[in-house]
Amino acid sequence: MEYRVPAVRMQNISKTFGSIVANDHAELTVYRGEILALLGENGSGKTTLMNMLAGIYYPDEGQIFIDGEEAVIASPHDAYKYGIGMIHQHFKLVDVLSAAENVALGLKEKGRLNLKKVAERITELCDQYGFELDPWEKIYNMSVSEKQTVEIIKVLYRGADILILDEPTAVLTPQETEKLFTVLRNMRSDDKAIIIITHKMNEVEELSDRVAVLRKGAYVGDMLTKDTNAEEMSGMLVGHPVELSIERPDPVDPKPRIVVEGLTVRNEEGLLKLDDVSFTANTGEILGIAGISGSGQKELLEAIAGLQPVEKGSIRYIRDDGTEDELTLKDPLTIQKMGVSLSFVPEDRLGMGLVGSMDITENMMLRSYRRGNSLFLDQKNPHKLAAEVVKDLSVNTPNLETPVRRLSGGNVQKVLVGREIASAPTVLLTAYAVRGLDINSSYMIYELINRQKAAGVAVVYVGEDLDVLLELSDRILVLCDGRVSGILPGRGADKKEVGLMMTRIRKEAADEE
Amino acid sequence: MSGGLGGFFAAFFTFIVSFFPRAVMQGIPLLAGSTGETITEKSGHLNLGIPGIMYVGGISGVIGAFFYENSLHGAEPNNFLILFIPFMACLLGSLLMGLIYSLLTVTFRANQNVAGLALTTFGVGFGNFFGGSLIKLVDTEIPSIALSLTSSHFRQSLPFAEKLGWFGKMFLSYGFVAYLVIVLAFTAAFVIKRTRVGLNLRAVGENPATADAAGINVNCYKYIATALGSMIAGLGGLYYVMDYANGVWSNDAFGDRGWLAIALVIFTVWKPNVSVFASILFGGLYILNNYLPTGTNLAIKELYNMIPYVVTLIVLIISSMKKKRENQPPQSLGLPYFREDR
């Protein structure tokens, strides 16, 4: 094979945050005209490494070569000079500005600001690579996928030919993902170098040419995608072989636990988020909720947990002895006092689930501080629980006193799930429990959820990865625009059919117009 | 009957012609303060030190004017220096205050509310201390300093203004600082809305991480916005002493105008061009109690002083109820930014 000068070569890169080592002599090479998938568990330093390439962080040690020349990238502006553009996992866009204004941001062009010209160029780029975007639309009116398009256009506009995408598909529907991949392939044919961070093995196999693996901040190795498979890659990034299948034991003696009838919920703006939703969640069973994001999943879980005002309908809790309790319009504290042990793992981990600036022990106390009659807080038991959670779920943290916001996404999730499960719930509500988690952590969460199911807990699992939903759930409820478009048995459900159901009601409504 | 009505309109017109210029003169310090504060807030910094900065701007101008007037020993003043020295002293004083604030909140990422309130307390104390010292130096019976010479230069209006009757009185009778502040307000509005720099500034205040990733020097924008905003606000203090108060400085006379300027920022939903008109409205409301019939209960007069604040509260309630995204404060207002924070 002829020798090519790599577009980017990173050598011996190290970076520490306080006592946390994010990268330990890591390496990376990417060539033009290829798509490199960067793999690693949560906290393995992928994003940190890429942030150093994009000028967000500055490495403590090591060198970066762009097209064979050593480069100093001290700020995002430097990165643009070298043609490096990063699409961050959490979009870096200003909500109140339009797409064109966001693109024009920070540009050091000569002359007056001419947004019309910017908009024209955006339309050109869209046509060239196959995007759809209205340059004058405000960001806060956009869907996630449109926002992502703005991000990509933003870096292309600056002439970036080395693109970094940090988990670009995490928030996209299968159809949107397909579109994105087409665009990325167009860019590859345009001789751009593309680095994509992802946790989804099927995407790696479908899209990338080469795979590079990081483990605990260090470089493990790279290989051609066509010479490897999901099992081997997972083994490399975990450090030992892993089994990639989700168990689905048959439910043992399922009995109705939560009965929802005709649930209708409006959000604060008065928009209908749930429209006449009825279903039953059984003990010892996982009820999967599928739907395009924003179809009412959040409102559904929050209504059951007592966080969302209900306009119409009822939510009933059925005890083991058959007596019923009304949960409708009760707040979480009242529900708890009724002796209903309900656990909720919300989508917004650091906003609703945990307090970012408090440590693990203190976060455990959030659930237990009301207990006991002592004047003083019981710190001993929460501390014990924290230590247990860290050990059992192998949470990667320097110590129990670290504020949780300093932990990586997967570890934050483990702390939250660990706490919720520890209260021995009879109902477990989870929203996007594995969002942003790597393979190993994801499977650990599936395993935990399965254990709860085996213990007779009624699990409601809101997920975005259809493959997982189909493998894990006993029954699947498909939401579309706040309405139930169907409830299917999980075994034997067809992915395409579920995907269609996710959009069906919307289509019908559009046809009628 | 029609004569009576005509008489009423004539009287009303005379009233407006005398009332309007007073409202404008009352409004200019508020306009300066709110324009400065808006520029600063657009960079994501809620500078509650503005009342103190305006106060320091005023006393700095007074100190400059005082020493220049005293160095004359009765000689004819230089027409340029008598304006230039107080003007520059005012800018310098308020610039230093702005730099203290930025050092604390941008570089050291101190809590903006605490830093701002401390700066206001400091500024008022600073002003009263030097005001008191100057009064001691003059050694008069009245606790104030009169800089009538400087003031008369500051208040000089265009020579033909008086010949233009009511038009001249309403629109051309002010000193140059007033026009400068109005021009600055319109310029600030244009820059924020229409230029590259303004776009970048808005991005810094809305979402500094985004601005940073786009290659904008966030701290540089924050420093310049705060420093520039402080200097513009300081001009409000200078105008108050030299024009409105006829060059008479007495401690604490500036009152709550600084807070009113901050209220004006909210009232105008962060638009300095709107502030040009709103400041006249606020100025009018501020002096309304002087136009109450004599003998009105003092307590009622105090109620009239509340009107600008009540109006601001109502605007705040309406704008947050309407939830129009463009009319909300900059999203990162009050939050410190550190690139490598996680």
Side-chain angles (χ1 to χ4, degrees):
Chain A
M1 202 173 119
E2 59 170 322
Y3 178 75
R4 287 185 297 165
V5 176
V8 176
R9 193 153 64 90
M10 300 178 85
Q11 243 179 6
N12 277 326
I13 304 279
S14 296
K15 178 80 188 169
T16 54
F17 294 99
S19 57
I20 299 175
V21 179
N23 283 118
D24 182 12
H25 298 96
E27 294 179 24
L28 187 90
T29 311
V30 61
Y31 298 91
R32 292 189 190 282
E34 79 166 357
I35 298 177
L36 174 79
L38 182 58
L39 297 179
E41 296 190 76
N42 292 120
S44 64
K46 304 171 304 261
T47 304
T48 309
L49 187 67
M50 290 301 99
N51 273 334
M52 284 189 272
L53 196 52
I56 304 282
Y57 300 150
Y58 193 73
D60 297 341
E61 206 184 314
Q63 290 164 296
I64 300 174
F65 298 89
I66 307 292
D67 294 321
E69 307 250 334
E70 178 157 10
V72 177
I73 304 173
S75 71
H77 186 62
D78 288 351
Y80 281 123
K81 266 196 330 221
Y82 289 110
I84 300 166
M86 179 157 174
I87 289 101
H88 297 267
Q89 187 183 359
H90 306 287
F91 299 137
K92 294 198 186 278
L93 296 169
V94 180
D95 277 352
V96 295
L97 301 183
S98 68
E101 285 176 311
N102 265 288
V103 170
L105 215 62
L107 281 181
K108 302 232 160 48
E109 282 176 346
K110 287 231 169 72
R112 281 191 50 199
L113 178 65
N114 186 345
L115 283 175
K116 254 195 207 126
K117 242 167 81 189
V118 175
E120 276 166 29
R121 177 88 184 102
I122 290 175
T123 315
E124 257 174 58
L125 282 168
C126 287
D127 295 344
Q128 186 182 348
Y129 293 106
F131 292 113
E132 281 162 38
L133 185 70
D134 173 9
W136 301 113
E137 185 72 62
K138 291 275 165 77
I139 301 296
Y140 61 79
N141 281 331
M142 289 187 177
S143 71
V144 190
S145 122
E146 285 172 310
K147 285 183 194 171
Q148 188 179 56
T149 307
V150 179
E151 283 279 32
I152 297 174
I153 292 282
K154 201 163 90 178
V155 300
L156 290 177
Y157 190 96
R158 284 146 198 261
D161 46 17
I162 300 165
L163 272 89
I164 308 160
L165 295 103
D166 191 355
E167 295 192 36
T169 60
V171 286
L172 301 183
T173 61
Q175 287 82 355
E176 289 166 341
T177 305
E178 218 21 76
K179 253 195 209 159
L180 174 69
F181 284 1
T182 314
V183 168
L184 291 180
R185 287 191 194 103
N186 288 344
M187 291 183 190
R188 173 173 61 189
S189 347
D190 206 22
D191 222 25
K192 294 191 186 305
I194 296 164
I195 305 172
I196 171 168
I197 299 178
T198 180
H199 291 309
K200 298 179 186 163
M201 286 301 167
N202 55 341
E203 292 180 356
V204 175
E205 288 175 328
E206 192 188 330
L207 184 71
S208 71
D209 303 298
R210 215 154 48 84
V211 184
V213 180
L214 286 181
R215 190 196 312 147
K216 298 206 166 123
Y219 181 71
V220 182
D222 69 293
M223 55 226 158
L224 293 176
T225 310
K226 60 178 191 299
D227 299 340
T228 183
N229 58 43
E231 249 90 31
E232 192 192 356
M233 287 188 277
S234 316
M236 258 176 101
L237 61 93
V238 180
H240 52 82
V242 282
E243 186 78 24
L244 283 191
S245 62
I246 304 172
E247 275 182 65
R248 179 160 50 191
D250 283 324
V252 183
D253 186 22
K255 278 185 299 195
R257 170 116 296 165
I258 296 260
V259 180
V260 174
E261 270 169 15
L263 189 66
T264 303
V265 169
R266 275 178 204 280
N267 69 0
E268 279 171 22
E269 277 98 52
L271 287 172
L272 201 62
K273 295 305 281 188
L274 286 177
D275 186 5
D276 194 19
V277 170
S278 304
F279 65 91
T280 308
N282 296 328
T283 57
E285 194 185 77
I286 297 178
L287 174 70
I289 312 264
I292 295 169
S293 65
S295 299
Q297 297 95 320
K298 178 171 170 263
E299 287 77 11
L300 178 60
L301 293 195
E302 288 187 0
I304 299 174
L307 297 168
Q308 190 68 252
V310 174
E311 190 174 284
K312 259 197 315 228
S314 73
I315 303 161
R316 278 173 300 138
Y317 177 86
I318 301 170
R319 291 177 193 277
D320 287 333
D321 56 16
T323 55
E324 289 187 7
D325 279 313
E326 190 72 32
L327 297 189
T328 327
L329 292 173
K330 298 238 163 63
D331 63 62
L333 194 60
T334 320
I335 294 176
Q336 204 183 343
K337 279 193 180 141
M338 285 158 61
V340 175
S341 180
L342 196 122
S343 278
F344 181 28
V345 179
E347 177 182 355
D348 182 8
R349 292 161 206 170
L350 283 180
M352 280 175 74
L354 301 169
V355 179
S357 52
M358 295 194 339
D359 67 29
I360 302 179
T361 306
E362 287 166 335
N363 270 296
M364 296 295 160
M365 283 168 67
L366 290 180
R367 266 242 167 216
S368 64
Y369 72 96
R370 281 201 189 83
R371 260 176 242 151
N373 295 319
S374 161
L375 181 63
F376 300 102
L377 287 170
D378 172 17
Q379 304 228 12
K380 233 187 248 156
N381 285 320
H383 190 79
K384 231 172 30 198
L385 177 60
E388 266 168 39
V389 167
V390 167
K391 191 166 151 280
D392 291 350
L393 308 186
S394 47
V395 176
N396 189 3
T397 170
N399 51 48
L400 294 181
E401 283 73 45
T402 309
V404 289
R405 81 182 139 84
R406 287 188 189 252
L407 305 179
S408 74
N411 288 312
V412 169
Q413 184 70 331
K414 285 182 196 170
V415 171
L416 177 56
V417 172
R419 183 188 74 193
E420 289 305 312
I421 289 176
S423 61
T426 52
V427 179
L428 176 63
L429 310 169
T430 68
Y432 307 112
V434 298
R435 177 178 280 179
L437 265 61
D438 58 63
I439 285 247
N440 206 30
S441 314
S442 301
Y443 278 79
M444 187 175 264
I445 299 284
Y446 302 145
E447 158 76 25
L448 282 171
I449 290 174
N450 262 330
R451 257 193 265 162
Q452 294 301 307
K453 168 183 164 183
V457 176
V459 181
V460 179
Y461 177 90
V462 173
E464 50 198 347
D465 189 336
L466 269 187
D467 293 304
V468 170
L469 261 176
L470 294 178
E471 265 185 84
L472 184 70
S473 318
D474 296 299
R475 286 182 306 140
I476 299 174
L477 184 155
V478 187
L479 277 179
C480 174
D481 260 2
R483 282 196 273 168
V484 179
S485 57
I487 300 179
L488 320 159
R491 288 165 188 76
D494 178 50
K495 187 180 170 188
K496 260 200 197 129
E497 193 192 336
V498 176
L500 278 176
M501 285 168 74
M502 281 161 64
T503 53
R504 201 192 57 198
I505 296 177
R506 189 178 293 180
K507 275 231 181 78
E508 280 174 3
D511 290 342
E512 281 166 23
E513 275 169 22
Chain B
M1 202 59 205
S2 68
L5 203 61
F8 170 77
F9 276 120
F12 186 70
F13 186 71
T14 325
F15 168 74
I16 288 295
V17 171
S18 77
F19 180 79
F20 183 79
R22 289 170 138 271
V24 171
M25 289 181 75
Q26 193 62 252
I28 293 294
L30 307 181
L31 176 61
S34 77
T35 303
E37 177 71 8
T38 303
I39 294 173
T40 308
E41 287 197 16
K42 281 287 173 189
S43 78
H45 283 247
L46 179 69
N47 189 354
L48 293 180
I50 283 290
I53 290 169
M54 293 175 77
Y55 209 78
V56 167
I59 190 69
S60 303
V62 165
I63 294 173
F66 181 83
F67 285 109
Y68 183 69
E69 278 197 20
N70 277 17
S71 71
L72 290 173
H73 300 296
E76 270 301 298
N78 178 315
N79 277 337
F80 173 70
L81 283 182
I82 199 165
L83 296 176
F84 185 73
I85 290 175
F87 192 78
M88 290 316 282
C90 160
L91 289 187
L92 186 72
S94 27
L95 172 67
L96 286 176
M97 290 290 278
L99 288 179
I100 295 173
Y101 177 80
S102 343
L103 185 74
L104 287 173
T105 58
V106 183
T107 306
F108 299 136
R109 297 192 292 278
N111 182 304
Q112 293 181 11
N113 296 340
V114 176
L117 291 173
L119 203 65
T120 287
T121 313
F122 168 75
V124 172
F126 178 93
N128 285 348
F129 174 77
F130 282 98
S133 308
L134 291 183
I135 291 166
K136 275 266 161 60
L137 280 181
V138 195
D139 200 23
T140 56
E141 292 290 306
I142 333 144
S144 62
I145 319 156
L147 300 159
S148 44
L149 193 58
T150 314
S151 170
S152 67
H153 278 80
F154 266 91
R155 279 184 295 128
Q156 212 163 58
S157 56
L158 294 171
F160 52 83
E162 278 177 35
K163 294 180 199 139
L164 292 178
W166 64 269
F167 182 82
K169 193 159 189 278
M170 278 176 80
F171 300 107
L172 299 171
S173 62
Y174 315 104
F176 79 100
V177 178
Y179 299 104
L180 178 68
V181 168
I182 291 173
V183 169
L184 281 173
F186 280 121
T187 312
F190 177 81
V191 169
I192 289 170
K193 186 110 204 323
R194 299 260 172 237
T195 66
R196 223 174 267 288
V197 171
L199 180 62
N200 292 353
L201 177 68
R202 275 185 286 158
V204 167
E206 290 288 337
N207 192 335
T210 298
D212 198 6
I216 298 168
N217 189 336
V218 172
N219 282 359
C220 174
Y221 267 85
K222 282 173 181 268
Y223 258 95
I224 293 179
T226 310
L228 208 63
S230 299
M231 291 199 294
I232 295 174
L235 286 180
L238 183 71
Y239 182 86
Y240 167 77
V241 189
M242 295 304 170
D243 289 54
Y244 182 81
N246 293 325
V248 178
W249 172 274
S250 42
N251 283 349
D252 290 327
F254 188 64
D256 56 0
R257 289 181 175 79
W259 299 114
L260 210 52
I262 294 177
L264 193 58
V265 173
I266 300 163
F267 182 81
T268 58
V269 288
W270 292 265
K271 291 189 176 81
N273 51 341
V274 178
S275 194
V276 171
F277 307 102
S279 67
I280 299 173
L281 174 72
F282 268 43
L285 293 173
Y286 200 85
I287 52 170
L288 206 57
N289 61 1
N290 296 339
Y291 287 83
L292 293 177
T294 37
T296 311
N297 192 337
L298 265 180
I300 292 177
K301 277 195 158 190
E302 288 300 323
L303 284 179
Y304 272 81
N305 283 340
M306 278 173 29
I307 294 177
Y309 297 98
V310 173
V311 171
T312 304
L313 279 178
I314 292 170
V315 168
L316 201 61
I317 291 167
I318 292 174
S319 71
S320 36
M321 262 177 6
K322 275 173 80 183
K323 282 203 173 111
K324 196 169 169 231
R325 290 294 293 267
E326 284 80 359
N327 288 348
Q328 300 304 313
Q331 217 168 23
S332 298
L333 188 64
L335 306 173
Y337 174 65
F338 176 48
R339 187 190 288 167
E340 301 211 354
D341 201 17
R342 8 201 293 171

mmCIF file of all heavy atoms in Angstrom, chain B residues 59 85 92 94 114 126 144 157 162 174 210 220 244 269 286 298-299 307 314 317 332 338:
data_model
loop_
_atom_site.group_PDB
_atom_site.id
_atom_site.type_symbol
_atom_site.label_atom_id
_atom_site.label_comp_id
_atom_site.label_asym_id
_atom_site.label_seq_id
_atom_site.Cartn_x
_atom_site.Cartn_y
_atom_site.Cartn_z
ATOM 1 N N ILE B 59 -18.693 62.109 40.168
ATOM 2 C CA ILE B 59 -17.721 62.742 41.079
ATOM 3 C C ILE B 59 -16.377 62.916 40.379
ATOM 4 O O ILE B 59 -15.671 63.903 40.610
ATOM 5 C CB ILE B 59 -17.572 61.950 42.412
ATOM 6 C CG1 ILE B 59 -16.759 62.745 43.439
ATOM 7 C CG2 ILE B 59 -16.899 60.622 42.203
ATOM 8 C CD1 ILE B 59 -17.460 63.965 43.961
ATOM 9 N N ILE B 85 -11.320 68.215 30.242
ATOM 10 C CA ILE B 85 -10.786 67.645 31.491
ATOM 11 C C ILE B 85 -11.865 66.911 32.306
ATOM 12 O O ILE B 85 -11.675 65.733 32.642
ATOM 13 C CB ILE B 85 -10.066 68.730 32.318
ATOM 14 C CG1 ILE B 85 -8.778 69.113 31.589
ATOM 15 C CG2 ILE B 85 -9.747 68.233 33.732
ATOM 16 C CD1 ILE B 85 -8.021 70.243 32.219
ATOM 17 N N LEU B 92 -12.422 58.133 32.693
ATOM 18 C CA LEU B 92 -11.389 57.368 33.375
ATOM 19 C C LEU B 92 -11.938 56.735 34.643
ATOM 20 O O LEU B 92 -11.720 55.546 34.914
ATOM 21 C CB LEU B 92 -10.206 58.294 33.694
ATOM 22 C CG LEU B 92 -8.986 57.595 34.271
ATOM 23 C CD1 LEU B 92 -8.299 56.783 33.186
ATOM 24 C CD2 LEU B 92 -8.018 58.595 34.884
ATOM 25 N N SER B 94 -15.053 55.998 35.490
ATOM 26 C CA SER B 94 -16.004 54.905 35.269
ATOM 27 C C SER B 94 -15.332 53.713 34.602
ATOM 28 O O SER B 94 -15.711 52.566 34.855
ATOM 29 C CB SER B 94 -17.212 55.378 34.454
ATOM 30 O OG SER B 94 -16.887 56.448 33.625
ATOM 31 N N VAL B 114 -23.117 39.752 43.694
ATOM 32 C CA VAL B 114 -22.373 40.208 44.862
ATOM 33 C C VAL B 114 -21.360 41.266 44.440
ATOM 34 O O VAL B 114 -21.267 42.347 45.044
ATOM 35 C CB VAL B 114 -21.659 39.019 45.543
ATOM 36 C CG1 VAL B 114 -20.809 39.507 46.692
ATOM 37 C CG2 VAL B 114 -22.673 37.999 46.009
ATOM 38 N N PHE B 126 -17.214 56.077 47.686
ATOM 39 C CA PHE B 126 -16.106 56.782 47.049
ATOM 40 C C PHE B 126 -16.534 58.204 46.682
ATOM 41 O O PHE B 126 -15.849 59.178 46.983
ATOM 42 C CB PHE B 126 -15.707 55.984 45.789
ATOM 43 C CG PHE B 126 -14.601 56.594 44.974
ATOM 44 C CD1 PHE B 126 -13.274 56.225 45.195
ATOM 45 C CD2 PHE B 126 -14.876 57.515 43.971
ATOM 46 C CE1 PHE B 126 -12.260 56.771 44.432
ATOM 47 C CE2 PHE B 126 -13.861 58.072 43.218
ATOM 48 C CZ PHE B 126 -12.551 57.700 43.447
ATOM 49 N N SER B 144 -22.255 71.736 49.610
ATOM 50 C CA SER B 144 -22.201 71.384 48.193
ATOM 51 C C SER B 144 -21.111 72.196 47.512
ATOM 52 O O SER B 144 -20.616 73.191 48.056
ATOM 53 C CB SER B 144 -23.553 71.660 47.526
ATOM 54 O OG SER B 144 -23.841 73.034 47.616
ATOM 55 N N SER B 157 -25.902 75.449 24.467
ATOM 56 C CA SER B 157 -26.602 74.818 23.350
ATOM 57 C C SER B 157 -26.282 75.600 22.083
ATOM 58 O O SER B 157 -25.567 76.599 22.109
ATOM 59 C CB SER B 157 -28.099 74.801 23.610
ATOM 60 O OG SER B 157 -28.547 76.111 23.838
ATOM 61 N N GLU B 162 -32.379 79.356 20.564
ATOM 62 C CA GLU B 162 -33.369 80.201 21.230
ATOM 63 C C GLU B 162 -34.266 80.918 20.243
ATOM 64 O O GLU B 162 -35.385 81.302 20.576
ATOM 65 C CB GLU B 162 -32.652 81.214 22.130
ATOM 66 C CG GLU B 162 -32.282 80.605 23.466
ATOM 67 C CD GLU B 162 -31.518 81.573 24.332
ATOM 68 O OE1 GLU B 162 -31.822 82.783 24.250
ATOM 69 O OE2 GLU B 162 -30.607 81.130 25.046
ATOM 70 N N TYR B 174 -30.321 71.464 24.658
ATOM 71 C CA TYR B 174 -29.520 70.683 25.591
ATOM 72 C C TYR B 174 -28.033 70.807 25.306
ATOM 73 O O TYR B 174 -27.612 71.154 24.207
ATOM 74 C CB TYR B 174 -29.936 69.216 25.537
ATOM 75 C CG TYR B 174 -31.430 69.039 25.538
ATOM 76 C CD1 TYR B 174 -32.113 68.719 24.374
ATOM 77 C CD2 TYR B 174 -32.155 69.246 26.711
ATOM 78 C CE1 TYR B 174 -33.488 68.591 24.376
ATOM 79 C CE2 TYR B 174 -33.532 69.127 26.721
ATOM 80 C CZ TYR B 174 -34.195 68.802 25.547
ATOM 81 O OH TYR B 174 -35.543 68.683 25.550
ATOM 82 N N THR B 210 -20.735 28.240 22.964
ATOM 83 C CA THR B 210 -20.933 28.252 21.520
ATOM 84 C C THR B 210 -20.060 29.311 20.862
ATOM 85 O O THR B 210 -19.395 29.056 19.859
ATOM 86 C CB THR B 210 -22.409 28.558 21.202
ATOM 87 O OG1 THR B 210 -23.193 27.517 21.749
ATOM 88 C CG2 THR B 210 -22.640 28.662 19.723
ATOM 89 N N CYS B 220 -12.438 38.571 25.996
ATOM 90 C CA CYS B 220 -12.144 39.870 25.403
ATOM 91 C C CYS B 220 -13.448 40.638 25.192
ATOM 92 O O CYS B 220 -13.562 41.814 25.539
ATOM 93 C CB CYS B 220 -11.402 39.654 24.096
ATOM 94 S SG CYS B 220 -11.124 41.134 23.164
ATOM 95 N N TYR B 244 -27.933 68.818 34.499
ATOM 96 C CA TYR B 244 -29.194 68.807 35.238
ATOM 97 C C TYR B 244 -29.083 69.595 36.536
ATOM 98 O O TYR B 244 -29.954 70.394 36.871
ATOM 99 C CB TYR B 244 -29.619 67.370 35.529
ATOM 100 C CG TYR B 244 -30.925 67.271 36.249
ATOM 101 C CD1 TYR B 244 -32.120 67.370 35.549
ATOM 102 C CD2 TYR B 244 -30.974 67.105 37.631
ATOM 103 C CE1 TYR B 244 -33.328 67.322 36.196
ATOM 104 C CE2 TYR B 244 -32.176 67.041 38.294
ATOM 105 C CZ TYR B 244 -33.355 67.155 37.571
ATOM 106 O OH TYR B 244 -34.552 67.091 38.218
ATOM 107 N N VAL B 269 -36.674 45.949 26.919
ATOM 108 C CA VAL B 269 -36.255 44.623 26.479
ATOM 109 C C VAL B 269 -34.905 44.640 25.735
ATOM 110 O O VAL B 269 -34.775 44.138 24.625
ATOM 111 C CB VAL B 269 -37.329 43.876 25.651
ATOM 112 C CG1 VAL B 269 -38.464 43.436 26.536
ATOM 113 C CG2 VAL B 269 -37.856 44.721 24.508
ATOM 114 N N TYR B 286 -40.604 60.472 36.548
ATOM 115 C CA TYR B 286 -39.758 60.749 37.709
ATOM 116 C C TYR B 286 -40.059 62.128 38.299
ATOM 117 O O TYR B 286 -39.977 62.325 39.504
ATOM 118 C CB TYR B 286 -38.290 60.664 37.283
ATOM 119 C CG TYR B 286 -37.310 60.465 38.404
ATOM 120 C CD1 TYR B 286 -37.027 59.179 38.873
ATOM 121 C CD2 TYR B 286 -36.650 61.529 38.991
ATOM 122 C CE1 TYR B 286 -36.126 58.978 39.888
ATOM 123 C CE2 TYR B 286 -35.741 61.334 40.011
ATOM 124 C CZ TYR B 286 -35.488 60.062 40.453
ATOM 125 O OH TYR B 286 -34.590 59.853 41.460
ATOM 126 N N LEU B 298 -47.649 64.640 51.223
ATOM 127 C CA LEU B 298 -46.304 64.152 50.887
ATOM 128 C C LEU B 298 -46.304 62.656 50.551
ATOM 129 O O LEU B 298 -45.582 62.204 49.670
ATOM 130 C CB LEU B 298 -45.353 64.409 52.052
ATOM 131 C CG LEU B 298 -44.534 65.704 51.971
ATOM 132 C CD1 LEU B 298 -43.643 65.820 53.188
ATOM 133 C CD2 LEU B 298 -43.687 65.717 50.693
ATOM 134 N N ALA B 299 -47.121 61.923 51.288
ATOM 135 C CA ALA B 299 -47.158 60.473 51.068
ATOM 136 C C ALA B 299 -47.594 60.180 49.635
ATOM 137 O O ALA B 299 -47.085 59.259 48.991
ATOM 138 C CB ALA B 299 -48.119 59.832 52.057
ATOM 139 N N ILE B 307 -43.959 55.102 40.355
ATOM 140 C CA ILE B 307 -44.546 54.755 39.050
ATOM 141 C C ILE B 307 -43.562 54.078 38.090
ATOM 142 O O ILE B 307 -43.880 53.024 37.532
ATOM 143 C CB ILE B 307 -45.204 55.985 38.394
ATOM 144 C CG1 ILE B 307 -46.403 56.415 39.239
ATOM 145 C CG2 ILE B 307 -45.666 55.668 36.979
ATOM 146 C CD1 ILE B 307 -47.094 57.658 38.722
ATOM 147 N N ILE B 314 -44.660 45.709 35.557
ATOM 148 C CA ILE B 314 -45.729 45.282 34.655
ATOM 149 C C ILE B 314 -45.129 44.774 33.342
ATOM 150 O O ILE B 314 -45.511 43.715 32.832
ATOM 151 C CB ILE B 314 -46.720 46.442 34.398
ATOM 152 C CG1 ILE B 314 -47.469 46.744 35.697
ATOM 153 C CG2 ILE B 314 -47.695 46.094 33.287
ATOM 154 C CD1 ILE B 314 -48.294 48.012 35.649
ATOM 155 N N ILE B 317 -43.672 41.372 33.844
ATOM 156 C CA ILE B 317 -44.704 40.335 33.917
ATOM 157 C C ILE B 317 -45.228 40.037 32.511
ATOM 158 O O ILE B 317 -45.321 38.877 32.103
ATOM 159 C CB ILE B 317 -45.859 40.784 34.836
ATOM 160 C CG1 ILE B 317 -45.375 40.820 36.281
ATOM 161 C CG2 ILE B 317 -47.046 39.840 34.708
ATOM 162 C CD1 ILE B 317 -46.294 41.533 37.224
ATOM 163 N N SER B 332 -27.318 33.447 29.149
ATOM 164 C CA SER B 332 -26.265 33.171 30.126
ATOM 165 C C SER B 332 -26.018 34.347 31.055
ATOM 166 O O SER B 332 -24.958 34.443 31.662
ATOM 167 C CB SER B 332 -24.965 32.810 29.414
ATOM 168 O OG SER B 332 -25.154 31.655 28.680
ATOM 169 N N PHE B 338 -16.177 29.299 31.942
ATOM 170 C CA PHE B 338 -14.820 28.775 31.966
ATOM 171 C C PHE B 338 -14.771 27.619 30.975
ATOM 172 O O PHE B 338 -15.524 26.660 31.112
ATOM 173 C CB PHE B 338 -14.470 28.305 33.379
ATOM 174 C CG PHE B 338 -13.119 27.658 33.484
ATOM 175 C CD1 PHE B 338 -12.000 28.259 32.913
ATOM 176 C CD2 PHE B 338 -12.966 26.465 34.166
ATOM 177 C CE1 PHE B 338 -10.758 27.662 33.015
ATOM 178 C CE2 PHE B 338 -11.719 25.868 34.271
ATOM 179 C CZ PHE B 338 -10.629 26.468 33.696
#
